[in-house]
Amino acid sequence: MKVSEWRERLEVEKCYDLVAELFDRIEKSKLNAFITLNKDEALRKAEEFDRGKLKGKLAGIPIAVKDNISTKGLRTTCASKMLANYIPPFDAHVVERLKREGAIIIGKTNMDEFAMGTTTETSYFGVVRNPHDLERVAGGSSGGSGACLHDESVLALGSDTGGSIRCPASFCGVFGLKPTYGLVSRYGLIPYANSLEQIGPMANCVEDLALLLEVIAGKDERDSTNAGVEFKFEPEDKRFRIGIVKEMNASDDVMKVFEEVVEVIKGRHEVVEVSLSSLKYALPAYYIIAMSEASSNLARYDGVRYGYALEKLDTWTRYFSKVRAEGFGEEVKRRIMLGTYALSAGYYGKYYLKALRVRTLVKNDFQRAFKHCDILIAPTMPTPAFKIGEIQDPLTMYKMDVNTVPVNLAGIPALSMPMGFVKGLPVGLQVMGNYFEENKILSFALELEREVV
C-alpha cells in the first residue's frame, strides 16, 4: 500500500482500526518478515492520531524498521543470538526523525545476521519468505523490510552495505534507495562495515521513497561521516543522458526484460553504452574491505561488554572463544575469520591495501562516466529470487552481489525499482547517480514508474 492510499483510508476509517488490522495480518503471515512487534506502542500512537495529537509529514503512517537500527526500549537483535535480548537505551538518528514526523513504528524487521547475507537465510530467527512465492528468498540483508511492504507495512527502513536494500527491493518487487554515503546519519546503526553502509528508505512507489528520504536525511553531529545535507524532492522534467553499464550483466531472461525497458527509455532520453573496466575487480575488493571492517567491529562482542553471556569459565580465553562460537552464526564467523586474515601481519598490504586501491579505481571510473552521463542503469540482480536453500556455496552467493557492490565502494546513490517479471517473479532496474544527485535519479525513476510499473 502507498502512503496516498493509506491516507485515503484514514479519511473514512480510524487509524487505530487500520493499525490493528495490520497487526492481525502480520500475526497470521507466513513471511516471517518481523522479529519484534511494537504493537502496544503503535496502537497508542494510532489513538493519538485519531485524537488529532499526532502531527508531521508521516503522521499516522506505519513504518517497519530493520533490526540493526537502534530503537529505545524496543528489542534490537541484528537477527543474531549474540544480541537476542538486547534493548537499546537510545534511538538512532533516523528513528528520532521518524518519531518527530509522527510515523508509527510497527516493529523490527528480520534480516541476515549482522546484515551479512543476500537472502536473509543467515538470520537466527529463520528465513524471510518472498511474498510472490513462499518457497523463494526475499533477498537480503534487508529481507524483512522488503517483504513486509507487500501488505504488512506502508514504509520501511533498511540498510545497504553492498546491495542490502536494492537486492530485496528487486526480489520482492518494491522500491529501495541506497543514498549517497553521508547523506543519512549512521548514528544508531549497529555497524558491519562503516565505510560502506548507509540507512535508506524502502516503499511501494517513488514518491513514498522520496518522502521518507526527506525525513531521514540531514545533519547529525553525532556521526562524523555525516555530510550535513538536507534533502527536498523537486521533480525534474527534462531529457537525461542515460548510460547502460556494459559490465553489469544478468541472466538472459532478466536481460530481455531490461532491454525492453531500455526501449521505453529511448523514447524520451538519450541512451549510450558505458564501460567501467575496474568493475571486474570490484566484487573481491568489496568483500576484503567489508570483512576486514566486520572483524574489527564485531570484536566488541565478548560476552562482557556486549552480547550473549555464559556461566563463568576457568580462563578468559576459553570464555571469549565459547561466547563467540555459540553467539555468532556460521556466515558471521566466516567473515570475521577472513577479515582477520586480510588484516594480519604479512597480508595487510597484499589484500587490504590492494582492495583500497581498487576502490579508488572504481570511484574514478564512475566519475569519468558521470562527466558524460546524467544517470547510469543496469539490472539490479543477476537473477530473480531463487529458492530457499538453493545456493549453498558461499562464493556463488557472493557473486549475486556483482551489480550492487560497486555503488557502495564508490559511495554514490542508487535505487532499485521494479522493471517487470520473469516467470511470475519480479526483477529490478538499478538507477545510479552522482554524489548527492538523489533528486535526479528519483525524478527519472518517477517518470519511468508511470511507463513500466
Side-chain angles (χ1 to χ4, degrees), residues 238-257:
K238 65 180 185 180
R239 180 178 168 87
F240 293 120
R241 195 162 198 250
I242 310 297
I244 299 172
V245 182
K246 179 182 175 183
E247 288 79 8
M248 291 185 176
N249 296 307
S251 68
D252 291 343
D253 287 344
V254 174
M255 288 306 295
K256 184 179 178 183
V257 176

Side-chain angles (χ1 to χ4, degrees), residues 224-270:
S224 61
T225 65
N226 179 250
V229 178
E230 299 292 331
F231 174 76
K232 174 70 176 174
F233 184 45
E234 297 174 346
E236 301 176 31
D237 182 18
K238 65 180 185 180
R239 180 178 168 87
F240 293 120
R241 195 162 198 250
I242 310 297
I244 299 172
V245 182
K246 179 182 175 183
E247 288 79 8
M248 291 185 176
N249 296 307
S251 68
D252 291 343
D253 287 344
V254 174
M255 288 306 295
K256 184 179 178 183
V257 176
F258 177 71
E259 287 159 7
E260 290 170 357
V261 172
V262 169
E263 289 304 311
V264 173
I265 294 170
K266 285 179 178 177
R268 172 86 165 92
H269 304 280
E270 181 185 357

Side-chain angles (χ1 to χ4, degrees), residues 271-296:
V271 177
V272 298
E273 189 177 82
V274 172
S275 179
L276 307 178
S277 59
S278 65
L279 295 198
K280 63 167 119 4
Y281 308 113
L283 191 67
Y286 163 81
Y287 271 104
I288 289 169
I289 293 168
M291 291 177 182
S292 297
E293 293 186 15
S295 71
S296 175

Side-chain angles (χ1 to χ4, degrees), residues 195-351:
S195 73
L196 299 164
E197 61 201 6
Q198 273 286 274
I199 297 170
M202 302 183 75
N204 283 303
C205 65
V206 174
E207 287 184 337
D208 292 356
L209 210 59
L211 174 63
L212 185 50
L213 184 62
E214 285 182 0
V215 170
I216 64 173
K219 186 176 181 180
D220 181 15
E221 293 178 353
R222 296 166 296 187
D223 175 10
S224 61
T225 65
N226 179 250
V229 178
E230 299 292 331
F231 174 76
K232 174 70 176 174
F233 184 45
E234 297 174 346
E236 301 176 31
D237 182 18
K238 65 180 185 180
R239 180 178 168 87
F240 293 120
R241 195 162 198 250
I242 310 297
I244 299 172
V245 182
K246 179 182 175 183
E247 288 79 8
M248 291 185 176
N249 296 307
S251 68
D252 291 343
D253 287 344
V254 174
M255 288 306 295
K256 184 179 178 183
V257 176
F258 177 71
E259 287 159 7
E260 290 170 357
V261 172
V262 169
E263 289 304 311
V264 173
I265 294 170
K266 285 179 178 177
R268 172 86 165 92
H269 304 280
E270 181 185 357
V271 177
V272 298
E273 189 177 82
V274 172
S275 179
L276 307 178
S277 59
S278 65
L279 295 198
K280 63 167 119 4
Y281 308 113
L283 191 67
Y286 163 81
Y287 271 104
I288 289 169
I289 293 168
M291 291 177 182
S292 297
E293 293 186 15
S295 71
S296 175
N297 280 322
L298 273 62
R300 70 192 72 184
Y301 300 105
D302 55 14
V304 177
R305 293 171 294 174
Y306 295 94
Y308 176 70
L310 295 168
E311 292 296 320
K312 184 179 178 182
L313 297 178
D314 55 352
T315 68
W316 160 249
T317 304
R318 283 188 62 205
Y319 180 84
F320 176 82
S321 299
K322 193 170 176 61
V323 162
R324 291 167 71 80
E326 293 185 11
F328 290 135
E330 292 304 311
E331 182 60 31
V332 172
K333 286 187 277 192
R334 180 183 294 114
R335 297 193 188 200
I336 289 172
M337 287 189 289
L338 289 169
T340 302
Y341 179 80
L343 292 176
S344 62
Y347 294 100
Y348 178 82
K350 187 176 181 180
Y351 295 111

Side-chain angles (χ1 to χ4, degrees), residues 65-204:
V65 177
K66 188 176 179 180
D67 207 29
N68 61 345
I69 299 172
S70 183
T71 44
K72 184 177 181 179
L74 182 62
R75 187 171 68 143
T76 301
T77 72
C78 284
S80 178
K81 183 179 181 180
M82 185 65 80
L83 291 175
N85 299 306
Y86 173 57
I87 299 177
F90 69 99
D91 280 327
H93 176 76
V94 292
V95 173
E96 291 174 348
R97 287 197 163 214
L98 291 176
K99 290 180 176 179
R100 193 185 309 157
E101 295 296 339
I104 298 175
I105 296 172
I106 58 172
K108 307 301 291 292
T109 56
N110 205 348
M111 56 181 280
D112 281 296
E113 185 182 8
F114 281 99
M116 298 182 191
T118 309
T119 62
T120 319
E121 290 175 288
T122 70
S123 171
Y124 176 65
F125 298 92
V127 64
V128 176
R129 296 181 179 272
N130 193 302
H132 295 269
D133 181 347
L134 295 178
E135 298 304 311
R136 294 179 183 269
V137 300
S141 62
S142 309
S145 292
C148 75
L149 291 171
H150 183 64
D151 64 358
E152 296 176 12
S153 185
V154 177
L155 297 172
L157 282 186
S159 68
D160 192 309
T161 310
S164 292
I165 286 174
R166 290 160 287 152
C167 170
S170 178
F171 283 0
C172 294
V174 298
F175 295 76
L177 171 68
K178 198 283 303 181
T180 301
Y181 186 80
L183 180 63
V184 178
S185 170
R186 291 171 42 255
Y187 175 78
L189 174 65
I190 297 173
Y192 158 27
N194 307 59
S195 73
L196 299 164
E197 61 201 6
Q198 273 286 274
I199 297 170
M202 302 183 75
N204 283 303

Side-chain angles (χ1 to χ4, degrees), residues 21-74:
E21 178 187 310
L22 211 57
F23 280 113
D24 185 55
R25 197 151 53 235
I26 292 168
E27 288 162 358
K28 294 176 181 176
S29 174
K30 295 180 180 178
L31 298 181
N32 194 32
F34 288 88
I35 291 175
T36 304
L37 294 179
N38 191 33
K39 189 172 182 178
D40 291 343
E41 176 67 11
L43 290 172
R44 188 182 68 79
K45 287 289 183 183
E47 282 185 325
E48 282 187 26
F49 179 85
D50 290 333
R51 295 198 304 270
K53 294 185 177 181
L54 202 61
K55 305 293 183 183
K57 288 182 179 180
L58 298 177
I61 307 299
I63 184 166
V65 177
K66 188 176 179 180
D67 207 29
N68 61 345
I69 299 172
S70 183
T71 44
K72 184 177 181 179
L74 182 62

